[in-house]
Amino acid sequence: MVRVIGFLVGLGFVFVLGFSLITGAINYVSNPPAETVEHEFHRHAHAPEGGFASDGPFGRFDRQQLQRGFQVFKEVCAACHSLQYVAFRNLTDLGFTEPEVDAIADQWQIQVPTVDPETGEETTRNAVAADRFPHVYPNETAGRAANNNAYPPDLSLITKAREGGAAYTYSLLTGYQDPPEDLPEANRPGTGLYYNPYFANLNLAMPPPLTADGQVTYADGTEATIDQMAEDVTAFLIWTAEPKLEARKSTGWAVLIFLVFATVLAWLAYQNVWRDQKH
Amino acid sequence: MSFPWAEQYKPTNPFMRWMDDRLPLPRLVYNAVGKGYPVPRNLNYFWNFGVLAGLFLVIQIVTGIVLAMHYAANSSIAFASVEHIMRDVNSGWLMRYVHANGASFFFIVVYIHIFRGLYYGSYKPPREMVWLLGLVIFLLMMATAFMGYVLPWGQMSYWGAQVITGLFEAIPLVGTTIKEWLLGGFAPDNAALNRFFSLHYLLPFVIAGVIILHIWALHLPGSSNPTGVDVKGPQDTVPFHPYYTAKDGFGVGVILILFAIMVFFLPNYLGHADNYIEANPLSTPAHIVPEWYFWPFYAILRAFTVDFILPAKLWGVVAMFGSILLLFFLPWLDKSPVRSGKYRPQFKIWFWVLVVDVLILGWCGGAPAEEPYVMISQLASMYYFAHFLIILPIISRTERPRPMPNSITEAVLGTDESAAQPAAAS
Amino acid sequence: MATVDTNDQAPGTEPEEDGVRRRDFLNIAAVSVAGVGGAVVLLPLINQMSPSADVLALSSIDVDLSAIEAGQAIKTTWRKQPLFVRHLTADEIAEADAVSLSELRDPQTLAERTAEGHKEWLITLAVCTHLGCIPLGAAQGENRGEYGGYFCPCHGSHYDTAARIRKGPAPTNLVVPEYEFTSDTTVTIG
């Protein structure tokens, strides 16, 4: 009985699926899906030459580079983008000393909202090391209003929150260009939009942030080319997204070495226990 | 329980004797995973995966309890509380990555465990109840995993909750009411998040309970084995301890090495970038897919594209749930008296087609809903249903099995020539 | 052995030959290494309950003393715990200094309990050392107890003007946190 019902149910599903398949196939042949313009012109993200210092199982952050990247973030990105999950105190990971971090927090361009203890009115104060980076805009609506209705995303997790990761961030920053000649009119950037083949729909609202070599002046004397700045700020954003990356990898090696040792021992014990038994 | 030649628990220590008279817990353990449980001597490495599934349940419960100490199930701060775990809590990043990847590994080992059962006929009499309870565990795991994925309240969490609860809308008449009841609202929000958290915490303990029943039901007839031949006498078995505890110890080591590689070096490989964006009810990600372990079922859901008497959406939902429900009937669909696929020449071929078919379904389920993936998933879904509902019942009647060994011992020692050779280790 | 009939001899029950020891050693080593691994895993599981980095980062505050008149006290919070900042009058200082140390349950002088050069500023946790209630005596008109300092209403502990325990169940004086004067009118606690 079960098998008869099962047989009929099976035939039913197969029939409906076959019907869907034939309908789909006819539709596919009579009306083949055209490649979209976005797909045709979109380019895949690529990492800078040589990759990032933090790549790979042995990758470590280059502290000097993170500090340069922080400088680019501070002088270029921070005007519009927040970094809400990162605290100033975390900057000690970049090799800044505590007094330096206190100074960075105290002089940060955006103040932290607070309540006046005397009057109870809303006001602002200078940031301290324990604060997270303050929001640029009080809320999303304000952010949209100030940016032609395109809300600048928070950058704390950006290198983990986009397909392609850090390579995408780097490619996007260096990928602004004039639209190609053969780009259809409908896909050309409108007012307030900029062509960038690494962006999913080819046109994005963020103006090119890195426009000229020497836009920031690095304290360590590194030449601030657009490519260098893009790479540095991306390295910084890898750190903001995954601050425990170095601890994770070094713990991982210790755990792996232990596990391999323990597993070899377990195998020997297993062979030992079974050596009188044929199986 | 099980075989008459099983070793009896005889405590020598006076305290253990006192304990045994009052609470025979050590006796229970002894008879379940100790010397008192005789196991076929010929189990291969595929029989490790039951214990490995238990291992990952323990890992998930331990790390889950730890994460719940820091996580806040409130839609306005849930995402930030996960970042708090990742950045500020001592070893919080480790707990979260172990928990996230632990879910994937739990499914990997359970899928291997299920396919082991399919190949070696572990669902056949007298072990039908073991199979049915296993399927209950699998369903509970799927519910737990789905609700757990909602908790970080990222974009995939939110839209996953929206899409999966939206499936219930396909039910005629009461669908919308059921969806709103599940969510406690018209869209996923705080009410949904809180109940998912509550249930996500509860269900693993229910799973642990059903696992006890699963093992209980297993221990009545005893473990199956690769030949599918019944245990005939003491020469066919070895005590679980130390033989299989030693083998499981080695298996645990191997899987933990693979697990550590994922957790420490590729922690986000199995996740989605979109889930690092906080949930936004006003913006859907371009490409919504569930976690990889749901992909085969997601492919079946999407394979139904045309209304035929019933709306396509309802067909998809019915087929998706049906694809799991039909497994409950498997012991009665495949009536072949031969358990092990090793001695079933036709079954063996179809079995491997099914494995490839499910992998193809998985691949299509993870791909965008465009051609040619839809057509491939339609073909693959057709085979999936045909395999269980049409092919298996037919071949279980028509197939001529290969000769089987008379006993496990004979299978272990092989034919006369090999038995004449000196045994390996002595 | 050519058959499998010897399976009733588990490794541990074999005759005492020198091979037995070596074989046991391998099994013991494997179990011990697994045990060590399990024990090490406990460390992060236990340590995750310690205060997290953001909690530790909030562990210092600045207090402005300029508005507190002699004889007044304020209550503020430090590390999520209440804190008393009291501006002692000359009489209160004299009263505290007059007490002989031998009378005290937890002998400390007022000078030891205040910063050098700022004897009039008594800064203590507002947490009774008995069972953690907040003593009265900071706000105007509250019961200051029999010794003119603080009085804990939960179980009747009396503290004097140097916040030392004088009567009642509390075992020690109110705790003085670490602090330093960054100017004459501001103090950094923690």
Side-chain angles (χ1 to χ4, degrees), chain C residues 2-189:
Chain C
T3 69
V4 290
D5 289 341
T6 55
N7 71 324
D8 51 352
Q9 278 203 336
T13 64
E14 292 198 359
E16 285 284 323
E17 289 168 27
D18 70 316
V20 173
R21 291 287 137 221
R22 206 172 56 240
R23 294 174 63 176
D24 285 351
F25 172 75
L26 193 52
N27 298 351
I28 292 166
V31 171
S32 311
V33 167
V36 169
V40 171
V41 167
L42 285 179
L43 294 178
L45 291 176
I46 293 166
N47 189 41
Q48 52 88 15
M49 284 169 68
S50 311
S52 58
D54 55 331
V55 171
L56 294 175
L58 288 170
S59 55
S60 74
I61 57 160
D62 288 332
V63 179
D64 178 13
L65 303 176
S66 56
I68 309 171
E69 303 284 333
Q72 286 185 337
I74 61 159
K75 216 191 302 183
T76 175
T77 59
W78 174 66
R79 289 186 175 171
K80 303 274 172 183
Q81 297 178 100
L83 185 81
F84 288 143
V85 180
R86 184 154 170 176
H87 193 170
L88 299 174
T89 62
D91 287 350
E92 287 170 331
I93 295 172
E95 198 181 316
D97 284 341
V99 180
S100 125
L101 285 186
S102 58
E103 285 176 44
L104 295 171
R105 186 177 299 169
D106 180 10
Q108 270 184 320
T109 62
L110 179 62
E112 285 166 358
R113 293 174 57 74
T114 51
E116 210 179 326
H118 299 279
K119 210 174 176 181
E120 71 278 22
W121 292 107
L122 177 67
I123 301 174
T124 61
L125 283 189
V127 179
C128 179
T129 57
H130 179 221
L131 290 171
C133 295
I134 302 178
L136 301 174
Q140 293 279 310
E142 278 181 0
N143 185 354
R144 289 189 164 190
E146 291 174 23
Y147 297 86
Y150 299 107
F151 169 67
C152 182
C154 290
H155 303 94
S157 293
H158 298 259
Y159 296 88
D160 69 9
T161 52
R164 296 175 295 199
I165 181 66
R166 301 296 293 274
K167 187 181 173 191
T172 56
N173 302 334
L174 289 184
V175 172
V176 178
E178 264 185 42
Y179 62 88
E180 67 176 335
F181 280 84
T182 41
S183 76
D184 273 352
T185 57
T186 50
V187 60
T188 303
I189 295 161

